[in-house]
Each structure stands twice: as structure tokens, then as C-alpha cells.
Amino acid sequence: MKLASYKGGHDGWLMVVANDLSVWAPATDVAPTLQYALDHWADVEEDLRILSDALNSGRVKDVEKFDTGNCSAPLPRAYQIADGSAYLNHVELVRKARGAEMPPEFLHDPLMYQAVSDPILAPNDDIVVTSEEYGIDFEGEVAVITGDVPMGATPEEAAAQIRLIMLMNDVSLRNLIPAELAKGFGFFQSKPPSAFSPVAVTPDELGAAWQGGKVHLPLICTLNGRVVGKPNAGVDMQFDFGQLVAHAAKTRPLRAGAIIGSGTISNRDRAAGVACLAETRMIEKIETGVMTTPFMAFGDVIRIEMINDKGASVFGAIEQRVTRQS
């Protein structure tokens, strides 16, 4: 089942999307918003699946051509977003470039920070920044939306509460990060709002690509029309989503609608390319001593998409232009 939110109000209007992303239909008779559906999942899931099946078999009359321009993020605002760093190759490269070793505890204790959850950018919203000097970067990720997760849930219990999966662009302002981390209190100004794919899908929609709490598909990142990376999200992921959700819930319950991100997808195989520019720069620093790849500039366009083994887009694309704050 594929779900999206039509732009409107603070929380959008829930839509069911055809498996091939060709058309969509209102689901508001079942649940007005995605957050409502998540809050009442046990009551509405079956009806949403019935509507989805009817849409995919051509039995729904009230349909429109699917248009990502009319999509907000699946959740235009959320109770919380916690973003992890499950791909240790990314962490190792960043630390190695500055001459630091990776602490051994990173192998069993995930990194995680609290991200901006209101507002959340639509998949085609501009990345609006005051200055290019901030070091504008994209970060291609996978994220999950949970149901209610009790405090202290095990990874298995947490995995059972994963309701939906989507893509994420965790926008980072790289040149603001060092000073913030030096304060010892985490990210804030260096992490503006993130964007999410137009469509969120139930895990069963991924078929064999959803295994072990990971999405085993490549994430295609295209900057200004040039593919910069196709790292596989199921490869080199140290912590699966059950573990990430359980980590977030260790000392607090998560309410339905919590979003947990994977962190930048990163493969040890250099041929896979990158899902952020910082990683390219770190490799340059390690290999040549000099970073030559610039961060994004005003006018640049980043596109993030995941294609299945049939060549079809799974979640639709995040496509954003970097613009100057007026």
C-alpha cells in the first residue's frame, strides 16, 4: 500500500496512490490525514488496503493523475524526527579526514540526533538558505514512520511497529556543524528542515527488498542532472531499523507518527558513489590532502529516488532546488 498527502492545511489530506504511481484517490472517507490513520491504525488499515486494492484494479472512479507537485511530505509535520547514523563507513570517513579514530562503542551504540519535525519540506520544496557560505549539502536516507512504541521496547518489538517507509533528504549546513558540535550540545542551526519522498509505503510493498529491517535497493542521487551515487541502502548498514527505533525508545515512548531516519546511506565500495557531498570531500582530503568538490550553490538541483528491480520508482522522487532566502 502506498500513501501520500495532498497539500492543504497543516497536515494535508490523505490519498492512496497506485502501485505504479500513475494515479491517486482520496482516502479521506477512511482517514482525513495520515496522522489520523497512524493514530487509529488498527481501525483503518484494512479499509485503506481495500481502497488501495480497488485503485490498483481500476475499480475506483474518483481518481486523478498522480502529481508530486500537489504533494506535501507524507507527514507535513510530525511529533518528532530522530535521525540516526547507521552507515559507519560515512562516520569513519568523516573522522579519518580529520585524523580521528572511530570509537569502538560506535559499533554497538547508534548515533542519533533530534531533527526538525515542524515544518517538514514537501518533496519539491526549495531548500531555502541565507548564505552559500553555510556549506549546503544533501543527505540521501531511508526513514520509517512508527506506530506507538513503548519505552524500553526490544528491537523485535520496535520493528513490529514500523508502519511506513519513505525517503529523506536530511539537509545539512556543513560549515555550521563544527562550531555547534564544539559546544558539546549537538546540532541545531546546522540542521534546517528535511524533505521526504512524496509517497510512503507499507513494508510489504517492498517485497523481497525489505529484509532484516533494511531496504535492499540502491538510492540514486542526482545533482544537476549528474548521478553522484547509487549506494545500496541494505549494504553496510550497521544498525537495522528495529535497532534504530529501539534505540530512540530506550528512555522514552514514541507516539504514532514518530519518524526515524537511517542516516546518510554509504557503501564501502567506492564505485557506489555517494549520498552526500561531504563524503566526496572527505575522500578527497584522505587521498590528496585537499577538498576540491564544492558544496551546493544557489540554483543547484538535487534529486533523490529509489528504483526497484523492475525499473520502477518506489517512493517517487525528492527533487529540490537550492534558493536564497529573500
Side-chain angles (χ1 to χ4, degrees):
M1 177 168 61
K2 298 191 176 187
L3 301 174
S5 293
Y6 196 94
K7 286 181 178 178
H10 287 302
D11 298 302
W13 303 105
L14 185 61
M15 308 287 281
V16 171
V17 184
N19 292 342
D20 63 1
L21 305 184
S22 59
V23 296
W24 58 353
T28 48
D29 286 347
V30 179
T33 66
L34 181 55
Q35 183 60 57
Y36 181 96
L38 293 162
D39 288 337
H40 303 86
W41 194 254
D43 298 322
V44 305
E45 181 187 10
E46 182 177 359
D47 287 340
L48 287 173
R49 288 188 179 277
I50 290 171
L51 177 58
S52 175
D53 291 343
L55 178 64
N56 284 299
S57 62
R59 291 182 286 113
V60 177
K61 303 302 182 185
D62 185 14
V63 300
E64 295 181 13
K65 183 179 178 181
F66 180 62
D67 180 2
T68 59
N70 287 327
C71 288
S72 65
L75 283 175
R77 57 180 175 174
Y79 289 116
Q80 69 172 316
I81 301 175
D83 195 23
S85 189
Y87 297 87
L88 295 191
N89 183 60
H90 176 75
V91 180
E92 288 175 354
L93 285 173
V94 171
R95 295 183 70 86
K96 187 176 181 180
R98 66 171 189 259
E101 295 294 324
M102 190 174 74
E105 60 267 25
F106 282 18
L107 293 170
H108 56 79
D109 189 19
L111 293 169
M112 189 167 283
Y113 83 96
Q114 196 89 37
V116 179
S117 60
D118 183 17
I120 295 173
L121 300 181
N124 298 136
D125 279 352
D126 289 346
I127 300 170
V128 182
V129 183
T130 304
S131 170
E132 291 178 348
E133 298 302 312
Y134 289 167
I136 310 159
D137 201 0
F138 66 92
E139 292 193 56
E141 307 187 13
V142 175
V144 299
I145 305 175
T146 74
D148 289 324
V149 182
M151 182 171 64
T154 66
E156 294 74 21
E157 292 167 338
Q161 292 301 317
I162 293 173
R163 300 286 184 249
L164 297 163
I165 304 166
M166 54 189 179
L167 303 181
M168 177 179 182
N169 181 15
D170 176 38
V171 180
S172 292
L173 304 178
R174 298 291 187 184
N175 293 340
L176 301 184
I177 289 176
E180 288 204 306
L181 293 184
K183 296 177 183 178
F185 217 57
F187 303 120
F188 193 81
Q189 292 178 338
S190 54
K191 290 290 189 175
S194 297
F196 291 87
S197 54
V199 172
V201 311
T202 50
D204 60 284
E205 186 69 32
L206 294 172
W210 177 250
Q211 295 181 32
K214 304 175 184 180
V215 179
H216 294 264
L217 289 171
L219 185 77
I220 302 172
C221 300
T222 305
L223 181 62
N224 296 328
R226 181 177 70 89
V227 175
V228 295
K230 294 183 180 181
N232 192 301
V235 175
D236 300 322
M237 188 179 187
Q238 181 74 12
F239 306 101
D240 64 45
F241 275 109
Q243 293 171 305
L244 291 175
V245 174
H247 180 81
K250 181 176 180 177
T251 59
R252 67 182 78 174
L254 307 180
R255 297 302 183 210
I259 299 172
I260 308 297
S262 67
T264 307
I265 298 170
S266 179
N267 292 169
R268 296 186 184 279
D269 181 2
R270 295 279 176 86
V274 299
C276 71
L277 294 175
E279 198 162 300
T280 297
R281 290 166 58 85
M282 295 305 108
I283 293 169
E284 292 169 345
K285 177 71 178 295
I286 293 165
E287 294 183 346
T288 70
V290 180
M291 300 179 190
T292 57
T293 296
F295 287 120
M296 290 195 292
F298 297 131
D300 284 352
V301 176
I302 179 64
R303 181 182 176 93
I304 298 171
E305 191 170 19
M306 189 167 272
I307 305 297
N308 64 19
D309 58 3
K310 296 180 176 63
S313 180
V314 180
F315 305 92
I318 299 170
E319 186 164 339
Q320 299 179 273
R321 182 180 299 274
V322 180
T323 62
R324 186 192 300 272
Q325 169 69 41
S326 60

